[in-house]
Amino acid sequence: LLFEGGKTFTGALKFDIEDSGTPEQPVTIGSYGEGRATISSVNESGLTAKNVSGFIVQDLNFTGTSLDVDIQSYGIHFFTDLDSVKPEFIRIENVDVSGYRWDGISIRGDRNTVSSGYRDVRVTHATVHDNGDKGIAVGGPMPPEDWANKDIYIGHCNVYNIRGILGQHGHSGNGIIVSSLDGGIIEYCVAYNNGENSDYLQSGGPIGIWAWDSRNVVIQYCEAYENKTGNRADGGGFDLDGGCVDCIM
């Protein structure tokens, strides 16, 4: 499914398990011609894919207008509630994502399940900026039952101006955050000017690039600067937080 480069298309993209491809024959969503097409989803999430495998999203801009609207909107949102199988082979490449209330790019399993999550995901050359709660996020149900996500790579991404949501319960304004992940690499990424609106006083604050409740995660060759907090807690560059096992920075 290709959109003409340089043009803007108003509306949201939504996919489910019946739209899945395979690692050998993936479904590709992207642009053709010169430059990137722009998906302008207004107050909806830009692209939502539930329980989808074998999927490539590349060479697109996603823009929303929901940054200051009290709705849970995402730029690119891969979500699964499957317990029996982990969707695999997800590729997000060369995208620009901005203007969404929640996460710019989200890879997430349903926390109400035992172990739903993803396997073999790569997010590369993404620019994620001026979103609300998180820039790039990986998460799911927590151990000890199982690690929700396995084999995630995030590389060559720039994440900035994720300022956080005022009054949000818990930390807000994280650049790149991964959790419930077994086997991951974050490298050659830059996170800056994030976190200033995180004002919840009863928990920690945001971080530029970090992992928690994860195993075998490596953070290397990254930069994080001018990250902030609005609640006197954290506001740091990097973090290996509670529940990290065999992780390296």
Side-chain angles (χ1 to χ4, degrees):
L1 175 60
L2 302 180
F3 297 86
E4 185 177 356
K7 297 294 183 66
T8 297
F9 298 85
T10 301
L13 306 178
K14 299 180 182 180
F15 304 93
D16 60 27
I17 194 169
E18 295 182 356
D19 301 308
S20 292
T22 65
E24 296 76 24
Q25 293 183 308
V27 172
T28 299
I29 313 298
S31 299
Y32 73 90
E34 295 187 10
R36 294 186 220 169
T38 296
I39 307 300
S40 177
S41 60
V42 195
N43 284 344
E44 293 187 80
S45 295
L47 183 148
T48 303
K50 183 178 180 181
N51 298 329
V52 165
S53 294
F55 219 79
I56 300 173
V57 181
Q58 63 184 18
D59 304 326
L60 288 168
N61 301 323
F62 290 89
T63 63
T65 58
S66 56
L67 182 60
D68 298 316
V69 180
D70 190 15
I71 58 174
Q72 211 169 57
S73 63
Y74 303 83
I76 298 173
H77 185 37
F78 281 84
F79 175 79
T80 179
D81 59 4
L82 301 176
D83 256 338
S84 58
V85 61
K86 294 187 185 300
E88 62 181 342
F89 196 85
I90 305 299
R91 301 291 185 264
I92 301 172
E93 307 167 348
N94 193 34
V95 297
D96 188 290
V97 184
S98 65
Y100 295 93
R101 176 72 166 177
W102 215 245
D103 305 348
I105 297 175
S106 178
I107 310 294
R108 189 169 298 280
D110 185 352
R111 290 187 175 181
N112 295 317
T113 65
V114 174
S115 64
S116 63
Y118 286 85
R119 183 191 306 273
D120 185 16
V121 176
R122 293 178 64 89
V123 181
T124 57
H125 299 282
T127 300
V128 184
H129 61 99
D130 296 287
N131 298 293
D133 193 58
K134 295 179 285 293
I136 299 174
V138 175
M142 293 294 103
E145 288 83 0
D146 190 14
W147 304 90
N149 302 286
K150 302 178 186 294
D151 186 19
I152 309 287
Y153 178 85
I154 302 171
H156 303 275
C157 296
N158 291 320
V159 181
Y160 59 93
N161 295 351
I162 311 298
R163 294 187 171 89
I165 299 173
L166 290 169
Q168 174 69 22
H169 184 89
H171 53 75
S172 183
N174 296 288
I176 300 173
I177 175 173
V178 300
S179 62
S180 196
L181 170 59
D182 184 13
I185 296 176
I186 304 171
E187 64 179 6
Y188 301 109
C189 293
V190 181
Y192 63 94
N193 197 36
N194 304 300
E196 66 187 63
N197 288 342
S198 184
D199 62 350
Y200 186 65
L201 296 177
Q202 299 180 37
S203 71
I207 298 289
I209 300 174
W210 63 302
W212 64 285
D213 266 356
S214 293
R215 181 173 66 182
N216 299 320
V217 172
V218 176
I219 300 172
Q220 61 185 6
Y221 309 118
C222 292
E223 298 177 44
Y225 60 92
E226 293 186 6
N227 295 294
K228 305 171 177 67
T229 183
N231 70 352
R232 304 188 302 275
D234 293 318
F238 300 95
D239 185 13
L240 296 178
D241 212 284
C244 280
V245 180
D246 294 330
C247 294
I248 298 173
M249 185 184 300

